[in-house]
Amino acid sequence: MSTPRPIAVLGGTGPEGFGLALRWAQAGETVIIGSRDAKRAQDAAEKIKQRVGTNAKISGNENIAACAAADFLVLTIPFEGHAALLKQLKPAIRPGSIVIDATVPLAASVGGRATRTLGVWQGSAAQETAELVPKGISVVAAFQNVGAELLNADGLVDCDVIVCSDDPNAIQVVCNLATKIPGVRALDGGKLENARILEQITALLIGLNIRHKGHSGIRITGLPDAAYELV
Ligand SMILES: NC(=O)c1ccc[n+]([C@@H]2O[C@H](COP(=O)([O-])OP(=O)(O)OC[C@H]3O[C@@H](n4cnc5c(N)ncnc54)[C@H](OP(=O)(O)O)[C@@H]3O)[C@@H](O)[C@H]2O)c1
């Protein structure tokens, strides 16, 4: 069943956000692509409609307008724009929204290597988000370890998504959203502070992709079936 709450994918014109928006549109979710430029967002939404079909519930808008119309806000922007975008979004975030952060603070953001991460004062990009959203808004870290190539291809996404937050209800909701992507298993990864580990793993995966010329992801093994939220 689709979630009746719209999902805004901010920075959804880039490969990661576009891939997530595509998968959720395919699952029947209502998705709004966000961009700094409304026309760019609408063009991306149109491309998704062409792939999914005219019944796809997908539209595009400027980031702040997209945020104001949604209940799930997915951040898929480079780290260099992270804090500035959150400050712009703050007044538009609706009470009860959940902010889902997939941002990785790669050193490439400041001209360094994509195989290294930057130190973030708060511990991780997602913890920075928690400092910048209005009081009472839940922040969830997820999707950092799912590569855009897999999301944008047609097949199953052979990855686990580890979901971290200080709000256990938000973890459940986002695990459910993650499993709408065929092939994905979702796992409750505990407190938001664990986001710093998820973000580091992405830098490792990028290095593996370069070394072995592939599109790596992660699978966690050895837990009881009940730990994995399945489609
Ligand atoms: N690519 C992957 O496989 C992957 C996997 C896991 C996690 N991630 C993380 O997900 C995020 C997005 O990745 P991506 O590869 O899609 O990135 P990207 O293509 O570099 O950026 C995504 C979008 O963000 C917007 N943007 C760029 N600079 C911005 C700024 N300074 N302020 C606000 N918006 C800005 C752009 O959209 P507009 O110009 O339309 O506004 C762009 O299309 C990154 O934090 C990345 O580390 C990526």
Side-chain angles (χ1 to χ4, degrees):
M1 218 174 70
S2 68
T3 312
R5 303 169 72 187
I7 307 166
V9 184
L10 308 167
T13 54
E16 182 71 6
F18 187 92
L20 288 169
L22 170 70
R23 295 294 184 152
W24 284 322
Q26 285 170 334
E29 297 296 321
T30 302
V31 183
I32 309 165
I33 299 244
S35 163
R36 289 168 293 182
D37 179 273
K39 170 77 170 66
R40 208 158 40 238
Q42 285 151 12
D43 289 348
E46 191 49 42
K47 277 189 197 148
I48 290 183
K49 203 159 235 178
Q50 281 165 13
R51 277 183 70 175
V52 179
T54 48
N55 287 339
K57 291 178 262 172
I58 178 101
S59 58
N61 212 333
E62 187 276 325
N63 281 324
I64 297 169
C67 167
D71 298 296
F72 298 121
L73 312 174
V74 185
L75 301 176
T76 54
I77 51 156
F79 185 65
E80 67 261 31
H82 188 250
L85 178 65
L86 279 160
K87 284 176 192 160
Q88 287 171 17
L89 295 178
K90 192 172 181 179
I93 299 179
R94 306 205 292 211
S97 298
I98 295 177
V99 178
I100 304 163
D101 203 347
T103 306
V104 181
L106 295 176
S109 289
V110 292
R113 294 185 183 179
T115 50
R116 289 184 183 149
T117 53
L118 298 169
V120 181
W121 280 111
Q122 294 83 350
S124 63
Q127 287 167 286
E128 180 179 78
T129 297
E131 273 195 12
L132 294 172
V133 295
K135 261 203 169 62
I137 295 296
S138 296
V139 175
V140 177
F143 304 109
Q144 297 90 340
N145 308 141
V146 182
E149 291 80 4
L150 292 177
L151 289 170
N152 285 293
D154 289 324
L156 294 180
V157 174
D158 184 16
C159 294
D160 285 348
V161 169
I162 300 176
V163 180
C164 300
S165 177
D166 296 334
D167 175 354
N169 291 326
I171 290 183
Q172 269 317 301
V173 171
V174 176
C175 280
N176 185 263
L177 269 185
T179 55
K180 290 178 186 285
I181 302 170
V184 162
R185 296 185 311 183
L187 274 165
D188 176 347
K191 295 275 186 195
L192 191 67
E193 65 179 38
N194 289 335
R196 73 196 190 287
I197 303 169
L198 300 183
E199 294 173 12
Q200 296 276 344
I201 290 172
T202 306
L204 177 69
L205 295 177
I206 292 170
L208 290 170
N209 290 346
I210 294 169
R211 188 165 304 111
H212 301 289
K213 303 191 183 354
H215 305 301
S216 55
I218 58 167
R219 285 292 195 199
I220 305 295
T221 61
L223 298 177
D225 287 348
Y228 301 100
E229 187 129 346
L230 299 164
V231 184

